[in-house]
Amino acid sequence: MSFIDFDGVTKVYQTGEIATHALDGASFTVEDGQFVVIVGASGAGKTTILNILGGMDTLTAGTVTVDGKVISSFSKRELTTYRRFDVGFVFQFYNLVQNLTALENVELAAQICKDPLSAADVLTEVGLQDRMYNFPAQLSGGEQQRVAIARAIAKNPKLLLCDEPTGALDYNTGKAILKLLQYTCRNTGKTVIVITHNQAITRMADRIIRVKSGVIEGIEENPNPESIETITW
């Protein structure tokens, strides 16, 4: 069985009499330890996929299995436990607590987990050993995103979900963040899924999933993923 099995998933948002199909029978698999890029235009359904995979949204039809657990049948309480212990999130905007230091932000997330990693060790791993005691307002955008990634990694999750993680960053900083995510996947064996509209990023992935209008338009295996240093856009 694949680590993730997203099978025939439909998501319909109902607003009065208007039904909007965000996903329409979407199916794909992801193997354990893969770096996967889900790519598509704005409104294609990428974030809906991420929200369902992360247990933040429910589906209308279909089945989603993660690491042998059918999360699509989970209760609200079970989804909360799943989000807490199994999933790390990295968003476009950093969502840091402004009156906590970088170290305290990471420690805060680690406190709710079963087997967290050392917050100081993870911040050192992402290159912020000299910025641990700085507040978010004292950090650059790239540094704040590194704190957000460290916060996600410190939970020691099975799955790392990244929604446009470079969307608020400049070109060079964005490449540095992608390099960090690729490094995390390769060196920890964690499954990393990046949602993006940037087609160039697909060259760094093991598997590329293309989404258009709520449908999986194509799935490609990449036997020779590139380092982000060799990719330009």
Side-chain angles (χ1 to χ4, degrees):
M1 181 181 291
S2 296
F3 180 69
I4 294 173
D5 189 357
F6 204 82
D7 186 19
V9 174
T10 295
K11 177 63 180 179
V12 180
Y13 293 101
Q14 194 76 35
T15 307
E17 297 181 357
I18 300 172
T20 303
H21 283 71
L23 293 174
D24 194 1
S27 296
F28 61 84
T29 59
V30 173
E31 305 308 321
D32 193 18
Q34 280 193 319
F35 190 100
V36 176
V37 170
I38 300 178
V39 64
S42 178
K46 309 184 300 298
T47 298
T48 302
I49 290 173
L50 180 137
N51 288 343
I52 291 172
L53 280 176
M56 294 187 291
D57 203 353
T58 56
L59 44 73
T60 305
T63 306
V64 178
T65 306
V66 179
D67 195 24
K69 299 175 183 176
V70 184
I71 67 165
S72 51
S73 66
F74 278 4
S75 65
K76 286 186 177 180
R77 181 181 292 273
E78 288 172 321
L79 284 173
T80 299
T81 302
Y82 167 71
R83 288 193 302 270
R84 177 177 293 177
F85 297 134
D86 293 349
V87 187
F89 297 97
V90 179
F91 299 103
Q92 178 175 345
F93 301 105
Y94 325 120
N95 298 319
L96 301 178
V97 181
Q98 294 299 307
N99 63 342
L100 297 182
T101 65
L103 182 64
E104 289 167 338
N105 265 281
V106 178
E107 287 175 337
L108 186 64
Q111 286 173 2
I112 65 170
C113 303
K114 287 179 180 175
D115 188 24
L117 305 177
S118 161
D121 287 350
V122 175
L123 282 166
T124 299
E125 192 72 23
V126 302
L128 291 177
Q129 61 272 16
D130 297 326
R131 309 288 269 162
M132 290 187 199
Y133 301 104
N134 289 85
F135 292 96
Q138 298 170 316
L139 301 173
S140 68
E143 288 171 333
Q144 290 186 66
Q145 189 63 297
R146 285 175 182 270
V147 175
I149 292 170
R151 179 180 57 190
I153 295 171
K155 290 178 63 181
N156 202 13
K158 298 175 182 177
L159 176 62
L160 197 58
L161 298 175
C162 312
D163 190 4
E164 298 279 5
T166 64
L169 303 173
D170 64 76
Y171 175 77
N172 288 324
T173 306
K175 288 188 75 170
I177 292 300
L178 289 169
K179 180 179 179 180
L180 176 58
L181 290 172
Q182 192 176 46
Y183 173 87
T184 299
C185 177
R186 301 292 180 238
N187 288 273
T188 67
K190 295 190 187 305
T191 304
V192 177
I193 298 179
V194 175
I195 305 291
T196 185
H197 65 274
N198 187 345
Q199 297 283 343
I201 294 174
T202 60
R203 289 157 50 195
M204 66 185 291
D206 300 306
R207 180 171 296 181
I208 302 115
I209 300 168
R210 300 186 185 278
V211 188
K212 183 177 181 180
S213 302
V215 176
I216 304 300
E217 191 178 39
I219 300 172
E220 303 164 29
E221 297 296 323
N222 182 7
N224 299 300
E226 294 184 35
S227 168
I228 190 64
E229 282 105 332
T230 67
I231 300 172
T232 57
W233 61 84

